[in-house]
Structures are given as C-alpha cells and as structure tokens.
Amino acid sequence: MQIKETTNEGLKRAYAVTIPAKEIDARVSGEVKKIAPQVRMPGFRPGKVPANLVRKMHGEQLHAQAVNDMIRESVDKVMADNKLRPAMQPKVEFGDGYEEGKDAKITVELEILPVVEAPEIEGIKLERLTVPVKDEQVDEAVQRIADQNANYKDAAKSKKAADGDQLIIDFVGRVDGIEFEGGKAENTPLVIGSGQFIPGFEEQLSGVKTGDKKTIKVTFPADYPAQHLADKEAEFDITVQAVKVPAETKVDEEFAKNLGLDSLDKLKELIRGQLEQETSGLTRTQMKRQLLDTLAAGHDFAVPQGMVEAEFDQIWAQLEQEAARSDDPAAMLKEIEVEKDEYRHIAERRVRLGLLLSEIGQKNGVEVTPNEMSMLIQQAAQQYRAEDRERFVEYVRNEPMAAAQLRAPLYEDKVVDFLFDKAKITDREVTREELEAAIEADEQEAAEKPKKKAPAKKAAAKKAPAKKDDAEKKPAAKKAPAEKAAAKKDDGDKKPAAKKAPAKKPAAKKPAAKK
C-alpha cells in the first residue's frame, strides 16, 4: 500500500492511496481458502472443491468485500501514520474508477481538528444575579391557582352572559346541513373568553340568558386537526341550559386539600420551589453567557469549515421551520435571509466554543458515565413509538456519531458546571424583571454591535459582545470529535430565530367544535 500526501493547507489534508492489484488478489485468495471447506458442489466431497472453482463461484463477492475492507484499512492507516484527528468523516473516492485486476487508487480528503490549548481556568470572574422569592409572590401565585380553579354558582335567569361567566350548553353542529362526528354534546361547560372553543364560537354567545336558543356560524381553522373540517364553515344550534357566575374561592386548608396536598403551607412550599427553579434557570443562562463570552474573547483559532457548514445547516433548517410556522412565511424568510452571514458567524463561534469546551473537559477529566449515557438513550427513546424504541436504542449503541450527538448536551453542561466551580463568583440580588432585562439587554447589544475578531489567547480577556443566538456548540467527545450541537433552551447565548408571530390557538380538545 502506498500513501502520498497531496494537500496540507491549514486544517485541510488530502492523500493519494494506491492499493496494488497483487495485494488485493492475495486478500481474495486468502478469503477463498477460508470459505473453501464450507463450499458444497455436486461431484465433489465436502471441503474438496478446488480453489479455482470456489473463486469462480464467489470471486466477485469476495473481491468486492476485499476491496472495501482494504480501503477502510488504508484510511485507518492514513489516520494512524499521520496522527490525524478528523473533524468529520473523511471523504473517500476512487481516483479514476476501478477495474478488477488493476491497482485501486483512492483519494482521502478530510479536515483535522485544530490543536487547542486549554485556557487558564482558575480565576475566571463571573457575576451571579440572584432573585429571592418573596412571600407576596407566593401568595399571588396561590391566588392565581385559586382563580383558575374557580367555582361557579347559578346566576339569575335574567342575567346576560359576559366574559368570565360560565355557560352550560347543549349544541349540535352541521357542515353543509349535515351533522358531523364530534359536533354534538349536552351539558357542556364553557367559560366565555377562555378560548376553549374555536374562534368566533364564544364571542357569539356573549349576552345569552338561561333558556335561550341560538344558531351561530363559525369557520374551522385551516390547521384544525380533523382534516375533513379544516377551513369549513359550520352552523351550531345552541341551547343555553344555565348561566353561572364565578363564586369566591377561599384560599384555606380545605382549598389545598382539594388540590391533593396536606395543607396550605405545603401548597405554598411547592409554589415557592417552582418559582425558585424558574429564576435559577434564568440565573444560570445569564451566568453561562458571561462564561462563554469570556472564553470566546480569549480564543480565535481556525476551525474546520465542514463542521461550521454542518452547524450552519442545522441553524438554518431550524429558522426555516420557524418561518414556515409563522403567519407570513415569505416575509420571515426574507428577514432571516438578510442576516444569513451573521448566522454563519454564529455557527463558527459555536464550533469554536465546542472545541474549546471539549479540550477543557478532556484535560480535566470531565466525562459522561456509562450510567448517565444509558439514561440519556432511554429518555431519547421515549419520543418514539413503543415498537421502535428498542431499534433506536440498538442504533445509538452501534453508531458512534449518533451516540456522540446524544451525549454532547450533557457533556457540555458538565464542563460548564466544572468551570462554574472553578470561577470566582460574586452574587448580586436583583428582581426577576431586572434579570430578564439583563438577558434581553445582552441580546440587544449583540444585535446592534458589529462583530469583532477576538484577540488571541488571553484567558480572561475583555468580554466580547454576545452574538445573536450564539448558543455554544456542544463539545466534541474523545471518540467522536465532530459532534454536532443540539439546540437547547439553556444555551447561554440564545437568539430568537426571527420575530415570532402571535401564537395561534391550539386545536381541539373534545367535540369538533372545540379547539
């Protein structure tokens, strides 16, 4: 086997590999000898079929397998002999085609991972914005729960229904004069203004009284789950059985027990924990952004463009999906197209941060344990149908790149937590509004400031502006350095894809008339 380097520019490498025909033939001959004892042929005793006949019968298959095996071995030898760390799967092609009996000539092209010096991690300074949960916030949250679990009492028969009132109705729906499945119900509760039914339904019942009968006309949304009703006009015959008004819900021990808790104090304790969890997530996002900006500011090494393109493709696909779900897909696509170069810059920064975090993690023994990996696989499998879960688990266990991509978010979190432990952190108490404003201000600052290259190699250099949606690339694992980032809500530098249109009301719950 002959190997010759043809390209060595930056992170790009290319090699011309020649596998002599005689070596291929020798490999095929060896395989013929291996299988000959198992070959059966009329007129010959078992195991006594001549090699030339075995080769005539199975030669084409054995030859193809031999060539494939030797190409794989040659690529492995290129990597080993040159001590290469490929950023992504090498591109392997036959040079001038291939014919049996001739030398196999292939080209191997790849990008290698850059040599990244792990930065000095001691003494990184971060500010942690903390939000204490006050008693009045807990009380307000409890009251909201009480309001959402409001009781209703019968109103006077002359009472005209208004927003917030509850109706008990019977209804029958028809499309083109024909009743449809799910369009009929009796004694159905409906709170006017709740958005429970399809648009236009509740509004037309404002002002009705107990005993009233009314026919209303509505149009099912274009995205209605029942396709045969989507975008169709319908009539509903309504009978109002009762009009009810909200009754005061007393927040006491009995209220808490009705929610399945032991006491009002237990309810408040649960609410306090939820509020603290919400704000701690925001705190982590804000602190993580500081950390990433500090790391990004001190490093500006070249990164494999193949990884950048893969990351950009992932970002762009997500943007296109969000645009497609908007009220005006064409306008949103036009808007993000203007920022295409910026998103490519974001992809490059993600890759650079991913490689940097990976280097830090490997140098400091950060790893995802087998038990953690097993839990990740099982959790990911839950998104598939029951009959497909075992196949997904098997796929991940046998496909290193799939496992690496699944491992990446957890690995990154562990590296970030490791760096938090090493950092010098000062706490500053703020309100939730101030914390959210600080995160928003960073995003706005990033949107307005021009991008600047960071100075090379200063561990705790001046803070670089946070780039829009500059969520870090997931760090590469030891066995799969080319891991792709997976989008996460806790990404330190999150940029909304584009201006989002107001959310559409969700589709139906119960009868076809409901959303």
Side-chain angles (χ1 to χ4, degrees), residues 318-329 331-333 335-336 339 343 440 443 469 487-489 494-504:
Q318 183 178 349
L319 292 170
E320 289 180 326
Q321 289 172 7
E322 293 185 14
R325 292 192 296 267
S326 71
D327 288 340
D328 191 345
M332 188 170 286
L333 280 172
E335 180 182 340
I336 63 176
E339 299 179 331
Y343 286 113
E440 182 66 27
E443 291 176 350
D469 187 37
K488 296 196 327 174
K489 289 183 180 176
K494 181 117 179 148
K495 170 183 178 169
K499 296 173 186 170
K500 292 192 177 179
K504 292 183 180 178

Side-chain angles (χ1 to χ4, degrees), residues 345-356:
H345 176 83
I346 288 168
E348 183 173 325
R349 184 176 192 260
R350 282 187 179 184
V351 171
R352 185 174 290 111
L353 280 169
L355 295 174
L356 188 57

Side-chain angles (χ1 to χ4, degrees), residues 376-390:
L376 280 175
I377 295 173
Q378 293 301 329
Q379 288 170 1
Q382 297 308 307
Q383 65 184 302
Y384 295 93
R385 295 178 301 180
E387 59 268 27
D388 294 330
R389 289 172 189 165
E390 191 58 41

Side-chain angles (χ1 to χ4, degrees), residues 474-491:
K474 306 309 177 253
K478 292 180 183 179
K479 292 185 181 178
E483 291 184 20
K484 289 177 70 179
K488 296 196 327 174
K489 289 183 180 176
D490 186 31
D491 275 344

